[in-house]
Amino acid sequence: MTTSLRRFQLRERTAAAHAMVDAAIGDFTSLDNYRRYLTSLYRFRAPLEADLSADWSAVLGRWRPAAVADELRLDMIDLGVEPPTLERRGTPIGACDLLGTLYVLEGSSLGAQLLYKRARELGLSANHGARHLARQCARLKDWRAFLDILEADGQFDIEAATLASLSTFAAAASAFGARA
């Protein structure tokens, strides 16, 4: 794996938006808090994942992003949560939009490590209530592969990727009820 300078540029440019989402997610110290987390995350991820189902092999090669909406839905069913009505976000229109969006989605596998630990403390597991987190935790090598793709893209535009990342963080913040 190469050291991704683009990753660090995106991290620096989106730090405030990322912090807002982290604060909105907060700590889930009860099953009720966790249920709210599941609903909010599903509201954010499911439509976005559907929008990203286009063929992006020209940009991504054989690599594919993590899709966890199905696991989220099962986690919600485990905990008696009715999945919310979803609103489509709109498919990214260019490679840099895609890479900026995936920077946020794939990067969440890092945060999933901590969230999965918290979920296990609530008695949840990879088989009940925390499937989506377990799946994300198992994809750390895919995060590294994504960083290689990010760094290798010959048409990369940091401004376009930053705007897409910020838009993705804003959609997550909105789903979690955060206000700028």
Side-chain angles (χ1 to χ4, degrees):
M1 178 183 92
T2 61
T3 301
S4 176
L5 301 176
R6 293 172 179 171
R7 168 196 185 185
F8 296 118
Q9 290 175 321
L10 285 169
R11 184 172 66 187
E12 181 180 310
R13 291 169 178 235
T14 63
H18 191 171
M20 181 184 292
V21 171
D22 284 349
I25 291 171
D27 292 336
F28 35 82
T29 55
S30 71
L31 284 177
D32 284 340
N33 288 345
Y34 186 75
R35 286 182 183 100
R36 282 190 286 280
Y37 156 80
L38 287 176
T39 300
S40 298
L41 188 61
Y42 184 78
R43 188 179 300 118
F44 164 63
R45 291 249 355 186
L48 187 54
E49 288 178 13
D51 291 339
L52 290 174
S53 63
D55 181 7
W56 289 101
S57 58
V59 177
L60 303 176
R62 296 176 59 109
W63 181 87
R64 293 295 171 263
V68 298
D70 290 342
E71 286 88 354
L72 271 166
R73 190 174 185 79
L74 291 172
D75 291 342
M76 293 170 75
I77 291 167
D78 286 345
L79 300 177
V81 177
E82 181 72 26
T85 302
L86 303 176
E87 297 178 27
R88 295 296 293 258
R89 180 171 179 259
T91 304
I93 55 173
C96 291
D97 295 325
L98 174 68
L99 293 173
T101 299
L102 291 176
Y103 167 78
V104 177
L105 296 181
E106 291 299 312
S108 68
S109 65
L110 302 173
Q113 306 292 317
L114 175 62
L115 297 178
Y116 189 44
K117 179 181 178 206
R118 292 179 189 161
R120 288 193 317 258
E121 290 170 0
L122 295 173
L124 305 172
S125 70
N127 298 315
H128 179 81
R131 289 173 185 83
H132 76 285
L133 291 170
R135 175 146 193 230
Q136 286 182 293
C137 289
R139 288 186 50 91
L140 285 179
K141 70 180 186 314
D142 293 310
W143 166 244
R144 293 179 190 103
F146 169 73
L147 292 177
D148 288 339
I149 292 167
L150 179 68
E151 199 60 39
D153 185 76
Q155 303 299 313
F156 188 78
D157 176 347
I158 188 64
E159 299 302 327
T162 298
L163 288 174
S165 293
L166 289 171
S167 176
T168 305
F169 277 124
S174 176
F176 280 93
R179 305 266 189 261

